Amino acid sequence: MRTDPPTAAALAELRLMPNQIGGTPSEIYFALDQPYDNNAYQLSQGKRLYNWFECADCHGADGSGGVGPSFLDGWWLYGPEMVSIAASITDGRPQGMPAFRDKMTTEQIWQLAGYVRTIGSYITKTAAPSRNDDKTARPAENRTPARILFNEAPAQPRPEQGPRP
């Protein structure tokens, strides 16, 4: 699924404030019901791009920072709005953030911006990216042998189960 060219062109127009911090996306972003904020597929694609473009090398796998700033501390140098994040990804920033304008499509930039915004999100969202299987205590359900998923039934009835019928 790709965004049609007129929509992609409209999304590429980032209307920033004169200080290059904050602004607003084009009207098409709201007409599409903020698809990169509220759609689990788009957020999962952003998560994939975060790993693919090695954002974790500077910002940390969990967004805790490192060479680049943290997304978790609640303080965003250029603002936490979607358009500010998209502008940072598109054009880069002076202290080391490279520009990805020529490396990503407009849709990918917005997908990545949506995911980055969920990392440091302090607002409840109805959509979320996929979970990380490496953070779970056991393998994902589709990779676990069936016998591990089911507990063996007790040989004898337990007293807390009550009398037999």
Side-chain angles (χ1 to χ4, degrees):
M1 295 188 332
R2 290 196 173 186
T3 306
D4 61 322
T7 303
L11 288 170
E13 294 177 20
L14 301 174
R15 296 178 294 176
L16 296 172
M17 301 290 286
N19 61 3
Q20 300 297 307
I21 299 174
T24 184
S26 63
E27 288 81 12
I28 192 76
Y29 182 75
F30 298 105
L32 295 171
D33 194 27
Q34 303 175 1
Y36 305 103
D37 259 355
N38 303 322
N39 184 300
Y41 171 77
Q42 301 290 3
L43 295 173
S44 292
Q45 290 301 309
K47 181 178 181 178
R48 181 183 60 81
L49 293 166
Y50 188 84
N51 293 322
W52 181 264
F53 284 97
E54 300 174 345
C55 302
D57 290 354
C58 295
H59 297 286
D62 60 352
S64 60
V67 176
S70 171
F71 300 133
L72 303 176
D73 61 6
W75 191 81
W76 296 58
L77 183 61
Y78 295 99
E81 299 86 15
M82 281 290 288
V83 70
S84 299
I85 299 168
S88 294
I89 295 167
T90 303
D91 300 323
R93 294 297 182 179
Q95 274 79 36
M97 172 72 182
F100 287 90
R101 176 184 304 276
D102 299 329
K103 297 178 180 104
M104 302 171 84
T105 66
T106 301
E107 182 170 37
Q108 289 174 329
I109 289 170
W110 281 97
Q111 289 170 337
L112 180 56
Y115 174 67
V116 166
R117 192 157 185 235
T118 65
I119 293 174
S121 183
Y122 299 100
I123 301 167
T124 305
K125 299 262 185 192
T126 57
S130 60
R131 68 177 183 186
N132 290 335
D133 287 335
D134 62 330
K135 304 276 187 200
T136 59
R138 63 180 192 178
E141 290 81 9
N142 61 347
R143 294 187 299 157
T144 306
R147 64 182 170 79
I148 295 175
L149 295 177
F150 301 102
N151 295 329
E152 300 266 336
Q156 299 293 324
R158 293 189 227 162
E160 64 268 11
Q161 291 177 326
R164 292 188 79 150

